Amino acid sequence: MSTIASRKTRSKVLIAIIILVVIQGNFLPPYLPNFIVFGWVPFQLLNYWLYAVELSVLGWLLARQIIR
Amino acid sequence: MAVGKTDNKIVLLRSYTKEMIVMGRGVWVLIGLGVYVVGVIWLSEVAHKRAQATTEDYFVAGRSVPALMMIGTIALSIWSALAFYGWPGATYRAGIGYLAGAAGGCVMGVWAVLIMYKLWLLGKQYGYVTPGDFMSDRYYSPLFRWITSLICVIFIVPYISAQIIGASSGIEVASAGSVSFWLAAGILSVIMVWHVLWGGARSIAFADTLAGFAGVFITVAIIWFVLSANFQGGLQEVTSKVISHSPGVLSHSGVYASGVGVLGISVSAGIAIIAWPHIFVRSYFAFSKQTFKVMAWVFPLLEMFMFSCFVIQGSYLGRALYGPGLDPRTTDILLPKMVSEYSPFLFSILVVIGVYAYAMSTADSQLLASSSILQKDIYDQLKPGASESERLRFARIWILVMMLAVLLVVAFRPALLVNYAYAFSSPAFAQLLPPLLGGLYWRRATKEGAIAGTVIGLVAVLVTQFVRNPIPIVHPVLWGLLLNICAYMLISCVTPPPPREVIEKIHIFLDKKIWEEG
C-alpha cells in the first residue's frame, strides 16, 4: 500500500516538473536571450533541443512510475 | 538564307531536346514513385494475408502492433506532407519561432503515459475502436458520441486534402511539370484508397514504418547534399548569410515574438495532437504496455530532431539561397524548388518519394479513422443488428465517399498548406482535449459539462477564425480551449454527478489496473 502511495506521490511531483518544462518550451522561448552558440545555433533554438531532452528524461521517469 | 534555315533547325533541335529532358524527368519521377508504390502494395498484401475479417482487426490491427511499428505509425501519422513539404516553407516565412509547433508535439511522449496507456487499457477491456466509444461510455451520452464523431469526420476532410495537395504539387514541381498536378493526385488517391481498403490498419502501420525510415533518410540526405554542395563553410557560412539579410528568422519574430503567439501554435500543432482522431485511435493499436514506456522517452527526441531538420531546410538553407524575397505561394513549394535548383536530379526523385510517403502515411490513417468513426459511431447506432460483413462493406463505401469529398476540397485549394491543419482542423479537434483529459482524471466531470464545453469551444474557434478575433495575437485554438474549459468545469460542478456505474467502469477500473495490478 505504501509503495502505491509513494508511486502516486512521485508521479505527481514528476507531473509538476513536466508542467514547468512545458512552459519552458511552449511559452518562454521568445523571452530568452538569443546569442549564437557554436557559430550557428541561436540560443532560442538550442532551448528547444534542451527542452526535448528534458521532456524525454522526465517522460521515461514518469513511465517507470505509472506503467509497471 | 541557308544560314537562317540552319539556325531554325538548331532552335527546333534545342526545343526538342529540352522537351525530351522534361519528359525524361517525368518518366524518372514516375519510376521512382512506382518503386515506392510497389513496396506499399506488397505491404498491403502481407497485411491482408494476416488479417481476419473483423472490424476490430480492420480498424485497430487486432490490437497487435509492436513498439517499433507503433512509434513509426504514430510519428508518420503526425509528420504528414504538411511537415515534409509545408514546414520548410513555413519556417522560411516565420523563422525558428515556428518550431514551437514541434515543441508542443514533444508532449506526445507524456501523453503516451498519461492518456494513451489509459485508453489502451480501456480499449482492451471494453472493445473500443473510436474516440466516440470512450466518450459515450465516460459521459453516458449517445449525443456526445455523435458530437465527437461529427467533429472528427467533418474537420478531417481538409486535412486529408492538404496531404494530396502537398504530394501532388511536389511531384509536379519535381518533374518540371511533365507529371501534372491532377495525374499525381489521381495516382495518390487510387493507391491510397486501395491500400486502406485492402489492408486496413495493419497495412497502414507497416507502410508508416517504411515511410518513417524513408522520410528520415531523405530529409537528412537533402540537407547534407544542399549544404555541402553550396556552402563550403557549412552551417556557419549559412548563418552569417542569413543574418546579413534576414536576422529575424533566427529568432522569435512576428507572431512568435510573444509567449501567447508561441503557445497558440504549440497547442494547435502539437499539444492537441492526441485529440486528432487518427492519433487518438492509435492508443488502441498497441500490443503491449511496453510501447507506451518506449514512446515516453523516444518521441520528444524524434519529434524535435525531425522538425529541426525542416527548420534547417527553411530558415537556414532556404533563406541563404533565396534571400527574403520569395512570395508566400512559392514558399509552399520551397523544398522541391530548392532541391531541383541546387542538387542533382536524383534528389528530386527522393523528394517525390518522401512527400508521397509522408502524405500517404497520414492521409490513409485519417481515411481509415474517419471510416471507423462513421461505421462504429453512426452506422452501428442506426442499425445495431448489422452483420460483420455489412458493417465492413459500409466502412469501405464510406472510404470512397470521403475520398470524393477530399478531392472536391483539393479542386478548390482555398488556403496555404499548413493552414488547412493548424488554422482549421486542429483547433476543432483540440476541443475534444478537455473532455478527454477530464474524462480520464476528473470523476466529477458530467455529460452536460462535456457537451456544453465542446460546443462552446467549437463555436469560439469558428468565430475567432472566420468572423472576428478580438485579440489577433491569441490563436483561435486558445480562445476555444479557454471557453471550453470554463464551461466544462462550471457546468460539471452544477449538474448531478456521473452515475456510480460510470465511475466504476472507467476510474475505479483504471486505478485498479494501474496502481494495484501494476
Side-chain angles (χ1 to χ4, degrees), chain B residues 79-342:
Chain B
W79 307 342
S80 58
L82 288 177
F84 188 81
Y85 199 80
W87 261 68
T91 56
Y92 171 92
R93 295 190 293 271
I96 62 167
Y98 206 74
L99 201 55
C106 292
V107 177
M108 267 304 286
V110 176
W111 287 154
V113 180
L114 295 181
I115 295 180
M116 295 183 85
Y117 175 51
K118 286 192 165 189
L119 287 175
W120 176 73
L121 288 169
L122 290 167
K124 242 177 30 153
Q125 180 73 13
Y126 304 119
Y128 293 165
V129 168
T130 66
D133 284 341
F134 165 71
M135 294 296 196
S136 68
D137 267 11
R138 172 58 187 83
Y139 293 104
Y140 45 101
S141 163
L143 174 63
F144 195 54
R145 179 195 279 271
W146 281 77
I147 292 171
T148 304
S149 307
L150 287 176
I151 290 174
C152 291
V153 170
I154 292 169
F155 289 92
I156 213 165
V157 170
Y159 208 139
I160 304 175
S161 311
Q163 311 309 321
I164 303 212
I165 294 168
S168 307
S169 314
I171 293 168
E172 188 182 29
V173 175
S175 67
S178 59
V179 178
S180 71
F181 177 88
W182 279 107
L183 175 62
I187 294 172
L188 179 61
S189 306
V190 169
I191 298 294
M192 189 165 70
V193 167
W194 184 84
H195 171 59
V196 175
L197 289 179
W198 192 242
R202 191 174 276 106
S203 164
I204 289 170
F206 283 167
D208 285 357
T209 310
L210 171 73
F213 285 114
V216 171
F217 167 75
I218 291 167
T219 304
V220 173
I222 288 169
I223 291 175
W224 170 76
F225 189 86
V226 174
L227 188 63
S228 56
N230 299 287
F231 301 95
Q232 300 308 314
L235 278 166
Q236 294 182 351
E237 184 191 338
V238 173
T239 305
S240 50
K241 216 167 184 180
V242 173
I243 287 174
S244 69
H245 54 65
S246 324
V249 293
L250 295 185
S251 66
H252 285 72
S253 52
V255 179
Y256 308 110
S258 81
V260 177
V262 163
L263 190 62
I265 185 71
S266 75
V267 171
S268 179
I271 293 172
I273 280 174
I274 184 64
W276 296 1
H278 57 296
I279 306 300
F280 189 124
V281 298
R282 267 159 177 66
S283 310
Y284 305 136
F285 280 28
F287 174 66
S288 81
K289 57 186 174 186
Q290 295 307 319
T291 303
F292 305 105
K293 266 180 142 171
V294 177
M295 266 193 74
W297 70 270
V298 169
F299 206 84
L301 300 177
L302 206 57
E303 174 87 353
M304 191 49 73
F305 170 76
M306 205 59 211
F307 283 83
S308 295
C309 288
F310 300 136
V311 167
I312 291 174
Q313 287 175 346
S315 299
Y316 281 81
L317 295 174
R319 283 278 175 164
L321 292 169
Y322 296 106
L326 292 182
D327 67 273
R329 286 276 168 191
T330 312
T331 59
D332 243 7
I333 53 162
L334 176 71
L335 182 67
K337 180 178 166 63
M338 185 165 73
V339 167
S340 63
E341 290 171 12
Y342 291 97

Side-chain angles (χ1 to χ4, degrees), chain B residues 40 91 158 232 281 285 317 348 368 378 385 409 441 467:
Chain B
V40 170
T91 56
Q232 300 308 314
V281 298
F285 280 28
L317 295 174
S348 293
L368 187 72
I378 295 173
V409 177
Y441 286 93
V467 183

Side-chain angles (χ1 to χ4, degrees), chain A residues 4 7-8 11 15 18 22 25-27 29-31 34 36 38-42 44-45 48-49 51-53 55-56 59-60 62-68, chain B residues 96-97 99-100 103-104 106-107 113-114 117 235-236 239 250-252 256-260 262-263 266 289 292-293 296-297 300-301 304 308 316 514-515 518:
Chain A
I4 293 174
R7 274 174 63 203
K8 281 186 177 179
S11 303
I15 290 170
I18 285 169
V22 168
N26 296 279
F27 186 80
Y31 308 115
N34 201 28
I36 301 286
F38 312 126
W40 68 278
V41 188
Q44 289 180 357
L45 178 59
Y48 283 121
W49 298 348
Y51 154 82
V53 172
L55 215 51
S56 169
W60 177 70
L62 186 67
R64 274 185 49 178
Q65 295 306 320
I66 293 179
I67 307 172
R68 285 294 173 108
Chain B
I96 62 167
L99 201 55
C106 292
V107 177
V113 180
L114 295 181
Y117 175 51
L235 278 166
Q236 294 182 351
T239 305
L250 295 185
S251 66
H252 285 72
Y256 308 110
S258 81
V260 177
V262 163
L263 190 62
S266 75
K289 57 186 174 186
F292 305 105
K293 266 180 142 171
W297 70 270
L301 300 177
M304 191 49 73
S308 295
Y316 281 81
I514 293 170
W515 302 112

Side-chain angles (χ1 to χ4, degrees), chain B residues 433-465:
Chain B
L433 190 57
L436 171 58
L437 260 175
L440 290 170
Y441 286 93
W442 191 32
R443 294 183 184 205
R444 191 64 181 77
T446 66
K447 68 174 174 186
E448 293 83 358
I451 292 169
T454 306
V455 172
I456 289 170
L458 191 62
V459 170
V461 163
L462 295 175
V463 168
T464 50
Q465 183 67 48

